[in-house]
């Protein structure tokens, strides 16, 4: 199928793209309105393939984050090898069809020994190699990971499998000391870190501050990614300003998860939420923090809807946080790739012709309509069916 690349909006300009041998041969400024916007194939730094597509068998879920955790733990009795493989494969296929080129999936790890999901997803990572890059991050309770013997066992296995070390931290006792043990494990094994931190609306939830300080102490700039940090939305502004500046200096990145945070935070039966729990994205980025976006949960107790589509995530984030979409494309592409330790995803002359085209004169027009025509281009060839414009 031929692709019209004569009037494409790229990096704020209308250009004509020339492709040759699977690469971008030329980018030429041109006149006239654009017919589509272009961006590098997106990446998602924060999903949960082990939990995905379980909502249909979960009932009587209690409101809020800890209700979702309880429901997910109960459903884990169904997590056989076939079940995990089937559900995760469905998620990976959806992500690929929507143009994603890389994912980082967190994997619940609640005992010292590796969970079955870790093995299944490692197998799938190999199966998808060359099509979709899949990183795995161990999601371990902080109290377990900071235990001396358990922490060593877990970190050794994560390092052996080329994974990412991570944990869930929220107002734990001796939080600072336990988090420092995690950083020591990462330093010893040469592992990047990814935290679920401060995923709640307690004004006392300040784990993000400790992680930022430890990132600086252990010189791990660019190798520490946090997710959520919901409490930054309600903490005193002077405290938030201080930690934002410290995070920028330390090189600690933050993933904002609009679907799950909007769904779970301030959730009470029969009452509309007042507090939405989204970290202050604009202020964080203005301070110099690398702020990226993730889909988080898809069709599970943490978020019963959703999809593996970075464009859908960007659309929601722009609505929820009053963002200009053209300024935030990097949060689902180049900046997100950097937070994951991946190579640059910029569209430049000589770069691989791997990109997404969405019908529209500019990014505002392209995101206006969820059914806007879309094409996924890999190595210069269309790899998915064009969506019909409404």
């Amino acid at each position: 199928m031929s692709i019209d690349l004569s009037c494409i909006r790229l990096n704020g300009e209308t250009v004509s793209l020339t492709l040759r041998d699977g690469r971008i041969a030329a980018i030429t400024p041109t006149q006239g309105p654009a017919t589509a916007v272009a961006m590098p194939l997106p990446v998602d730094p924060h999903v949960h393939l082990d939990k995905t597509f379980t909502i249909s068998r979960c009932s009587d879920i209690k409101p809020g984050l800890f209700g979702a955790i309880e429901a997910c733990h109960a459903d884990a009795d169904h997590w056989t090898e076939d079940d995990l493989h089937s559900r995760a494969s469905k998620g990976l296929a959806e992500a690929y069809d929507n143009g994603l080129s890389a994912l980082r999936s967190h994997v619940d790890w609640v005992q010292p020994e590796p969970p079955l999901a870790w093995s299944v997803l490692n197998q799938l990572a190999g199966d998808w190699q060359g099509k979709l890059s899949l990183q795995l991050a161990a999601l371990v309770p902080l109290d377990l990971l900071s235990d001396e013997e358990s922490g060593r066992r877990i970190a050794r296995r994560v390092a052996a499998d080329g994974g990412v070390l991570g944990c869930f931290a929220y107002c734990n006792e001796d939080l600072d000391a336990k988090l420092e043990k995690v950083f020591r494990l990462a330093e010893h094994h040469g592992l990047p870190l990814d935290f679920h931190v401060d995923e709640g609306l307690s004004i006392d939830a300040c784990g993000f501050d400790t992680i930022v300080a430890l990132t600086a102490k252990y010189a791990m700039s660019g190798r520490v990614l946090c997710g959520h940090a919901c409490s930054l939305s309600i903490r005193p502004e002077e405290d938030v300003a201080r930690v934002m500046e410290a995070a920028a200096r330390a090189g600690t990145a933050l993933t904002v998860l609009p679907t799950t945070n909007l769904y779970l935070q301030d959730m009470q039966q029969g009452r509309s939420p007042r507090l939405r729990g989204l970290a202050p994205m604009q202020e964080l980025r203005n301070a110099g923090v690398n702020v990226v976006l993730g889909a988080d949960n898809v069709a599970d107790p943490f978020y019963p809807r959703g999809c593996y589509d970075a464009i859908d995530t960007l659309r929601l984030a722009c609505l929820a946080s009053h963002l200009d979409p053209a300024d935030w494309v990097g949060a689902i592409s180049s900046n997100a790739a950097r937070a994951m330790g991946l190579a640059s995803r910029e569209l430049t002359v000589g770069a691989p012709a791997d990109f997404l085209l969405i019908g529209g004169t500019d990014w505002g027009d392209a995101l206006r309509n969820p059914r806007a025509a879309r094409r996924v281009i890999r190595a210069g060839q269309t790899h998915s069916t064009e969506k019909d414009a409404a």
Side-chain angles (χ1 to χ4, degrees):
M1 181 186 295
S2 62
I3 312 168
D4 182 6
L5 300 174
S6 59
C7 290
I8 303 298
R9 195 73 175 169
L10 177 63
N11 299 328
E13 294 184 301
T14 303
V15 301
S16 174
L17 298 177
T18 303
L19 311 184
R20 187 177 300 117
D21 298 328
R23 293 189 171 270
I24 300 174
I27 301 176
T28 309
T30 188
Q31 300 298 316
T35 58
V37 297
M39 64 166 290
L41 291 182
V43 303
D44 194 316
H46 190 125
V47 300
H48 291 265
L49 288 169
D50 57 345
K51 300 180 175 77
T52 197
F53 302 121
T54 58
I55 189 62
S56 62
R57 61 196 193 200
C58 297
S59 59
D60 299 323
I61 304 170
K62 297 175 184 176
L65 173 65
F66 292 99
I69 291 173
E70 181 181 324
C72 195
H73 283 172
D75 185 71
D77 290 341
H78 302 287
W79 293 10
T80 64
E81 183 173 351
D82 287 345
D83 173 66
L84 286 160
H85 191 279
S86 175
R87 292 187 290 101
S89 294
K90 180 180 176 181
L92 289 166
E94 182 174 286
Y96 184 79
D97 288 345
N98 285 325
L100 282 154
S101 61
L103 295 169
R104 176 179 289 179
S105 178
H106 295 265
V107 181
D108 281 13
W109 194 316
V110 297
Q111 300 291 337
E113 60 273 8
L116 176 62
W118 185 261
S119 300
V120 172
L121 289 174
N122 266 293
Q123 177 191 335
L124 283 170
D127 294 343
W128 280 83
Q129 192 171 6
K131 296 177 64 179
L132 182 63
S133 175
L134 175 59
Q135 296 181 350
L136 299 183
L139 177 52
V140 188
L142 176 58
D143 292 347
L144 175 62
L145 189 58
S146 61
D147 175 79
E148 189 168 343
E149 178 57 29
S150 297
R152 278 201 301 263
R153 289 174 59 185
I154 293 168
R156 279 198 300 265
R157 178 58 184 267
V158 172
D161 291 335
V164 178
L165 191 63
C167 67
F168 176 88
Y170 186 65
C171 297
N172 301 67
E173 290 185 9
D174 301 320
L175 181 89
D176 292 3
K178 290 173 180 175
L179 284 171
E180 180 142 25
K181 290 180 180 180
V182 175
F183 272 81
R184 288 174 182 164
L185 285 171
E187 181 182 53
H188 180 76
H189 292 278
L191 289 166
L193 289 168
D194 198 329
F195 295 92
H196 284 58
V197 63
D198 299 341
E199 191 179 352
L201 297 175
S202 168
I203 200 169
D204 297 321
C206 301
F208 183 67
D209 307 43
T210 301
I211 291 168
V212 166
L214 290 168
T215 304
K217 179 177 179 178
Y218 285 85
M220 288 190 66
S221 176
R223 291 175 57 79
V224 179
L225 180 58
C226 290
H228 300 289
C230 301
S231 65
L232 291 178
S233 67
I234 61 165
R235 290 174 55 192
E237 290 193 11
E238 60 272 20
D239 290 350
V240 175
R242 173 186 51 76
V243 72
M244 289 192 300
E245 292 174 3
R249 290 193 303 270
T252 309
L254 177 66
T255 310
V256 174
L257 297 312
T259 57
T260 305
N261 288 343
L262 288 170
Y263 183 71
L264 290 178
Q265 298 305 309
D266 198 20
M267 187 182 195
Q268 299 179 45
Q269 196 79 32
R271 175 186 177 274
S272 299
R274 308 299 199 268
L275 305 173
R276 306 320 310 271
L278 292 182
M281 295 174 59
Q282 296 189 52
E283 293 85 345
L284 281 156
R285 197 179 73 165
N286 289 341
V289 177
N290 185 16
V291 182
V292 300
L293 294 167
D296 206 359
N297 300 89
V298 174
D300 67 28
F302 294 82
Y303 186 59
R305 291 170 285 279
C307 57
Y308 293 97
D309 185 355
I311 300 302
D312 192 62
T313 302
L314 176 62
R315 181 183 292 107
L316 179 57
C318 289
L319 170 63
S321 296
H322 298 168
L323 310 179
D324 179 349
D327 290 340
W328 284 84
V329 174
I332 57 169
S333 58
S334 54
N335 294 339
R338 178 159 53 92
M340 295 170 66
L342 299 172
S344 172
R345 295 300 205 263
E346 302 293 344
L347 297 182
T348 58
V349 174
D354 300 330
F355 55 92
L356 202 59
L357 287 179
I358 307 173
T361 57
D362 56 26
W363 270 101
D365 189 32
L367 285 194
R368 173 187 63 80
N369 179 8
R371 290 178 59 83
R374 189 190 303 189
R375 284 182 177 172
V376 179
I377 313 300
R378 289 187 169 92
Q381 302 296 318
T382 300
H383 274 250
S384 70
T385 303
E386 182 177 350
K387 294 185 177 182
D388 294 329

